Amino acid sequence: MGLPKKLTEQQMKFAYELVTNEGRKTATECAVDAGFAKDSARQYASKLQNPKLYPLVVKYIGELREEWQKKYEVTYEKHIAELGQIRKDALKKGAWSAAVNAEVARGKAAGLYIEQKIIRTGKLEDLTTEELESRMKKIIDDYSPILEDVPFEDIKEKVREKTKPQKDERGSQSQKDSLHLSDAADGEDIPVGE
């Protein structure tokens, strides 16, 4: 008995199912969908992918894969055209957000947008007094509409007063802690919430 010279309908359907559903269906499921009996589909799926047993089927699967990859290959031209079509369809349906997103994606693909991210590390403690004051002034300027006409110098002075070390009853300096009450009955700090 010699090798068959052409594929059967079932073999061609199996190859097509296998290639078009790659990653979504198992080879056994593809064999069942191609018309093989459920109880023997696993064996047929395995045999049909064996080049020693079915070289024509394996060759056909390879040709289909190549054709499928060429058809759905992502190139710059295809990508831009597809995004343009998506935008066009979205506009027809009145989906403005989807249309804008498609157009932005086209612009990014064309290199019209450059995304820049700057990551800075460091602590406020590392800044000089002048840099801190400059930052404070910028924050105050940015939020001046919600501040009730309080001048920068007044805010700066209030910040300095709050951060100054204060003397306790024994005369030693201590940093005031905003989480403690200093006016307790016996004069000792009491943690808030305790």
Side-chain angles (χ1 to χ4, degrees):
M1 181 168 141
L3 290 172
K5 303 251 183 212
K6 76 180 211 184
L7 301 172
T8 67
E9 279 291 319
Q10 266 188 323
Q11 290 171 338
M12 289 193 307
K13 186 155 185 186
F14 169 76
Y16 181 80
E17 288 290 323
L18 189 69
V19 171
T20 59
N21 293 298
E22 206 149 20
R24 292 186 298 274
K25 286 185 181 178
T26 65
T28 303
E29 291 170 326
C30 292
V32 170
D33 291 348
F36 290 94
K38 284 186 180 182
D39 57 341
S40 59
R42 185 169 181 220
Q43 288 80 12
Y44 273 109
S46 177
K47 288 179 183 178
L48 290 171
Q49 294 178 81
N50 185 334
K52 291 181 182 174
L53 298 175
Y54 290 93
L56 293 178
V57 175
V58 172
K59 183 179 178 193
Y60 185 61
I61 289 170
E63 290 169 357
L64 280 177
R65 277 193 178 124
E66 192 175 314
E67 181 183 312
W68 200 257
Q69 286 172 349
K70 281 182 185 174
K71 181 178 179 182
Y72 292 103
E73 176 185 30
V74 177
T75 64
Y76 175 77
E77 291 79 15
K78 284 183 184 179
H79 181 65
I80 294 295
E82 183 65 25
L83 287 170
Q85 187 61 43
I86 291 169
R87 182 200 62 210
K88 192 175 175 184
D89 293 344
L91 287 172
K92 282 181 186 175
K93 292 180 181 178
W96 299 101
S97 180
V100 168
N101 287 338
E103 189 58 27
V104 168
R106 278 173 26 111
K108 285 180 180 179
L112 298 176
Y113 298 98
I114 298 171
E115 290 187 28
Q116 181 180 18
K117 294 180 183 177
I118 299 173
I119 300 171
R120 294 184 181 192
T121 58
K123 300 178 184 174
L124 289 175
E125 294 86 30
D126 297 339
L127 298 176
T128 65
T129 305
E130 292 80 24
E131 290 171 328
L132 280 171
E133 285 182 8
S134 170
R135 282 204 180 171
M136 285 174 34
K137 182 158 178 43
K138 180 168 179 10
I139 291 169
I140 290 168
D141 289 345
D142 291 346
Y143 291 95
S144 63
I146 60 173
L147 296 173
E148 299 170 1
D149 293 330
V150 180
F152 173 69
E153 292 302 319
D154 291 351
I155 294 172
K156 188 166 87 172
E157 191 57 42
K158 284 181 185 178
V159 170
R160 281 189 182 148
E161 284 175 18
K162 285 184 180 181
T163 58
K164 278 184 189 175
Q166 298 190 1
K167 294 190 180 203
D168 61 14
E169 293 170 357
R170 290 169 256 158
S172 61
Q173 289 189 347
S174 67
Q175 192 77 14
K176 212 172 194 184
D177 185 352
S178 62
L179 295 177
H180 291 77
L181 296 173
S182 59
D183 57 351
D186 58 357
E188 291 183 27
D189 283 352
I190 300 173
V192 174
E194 290 184 13

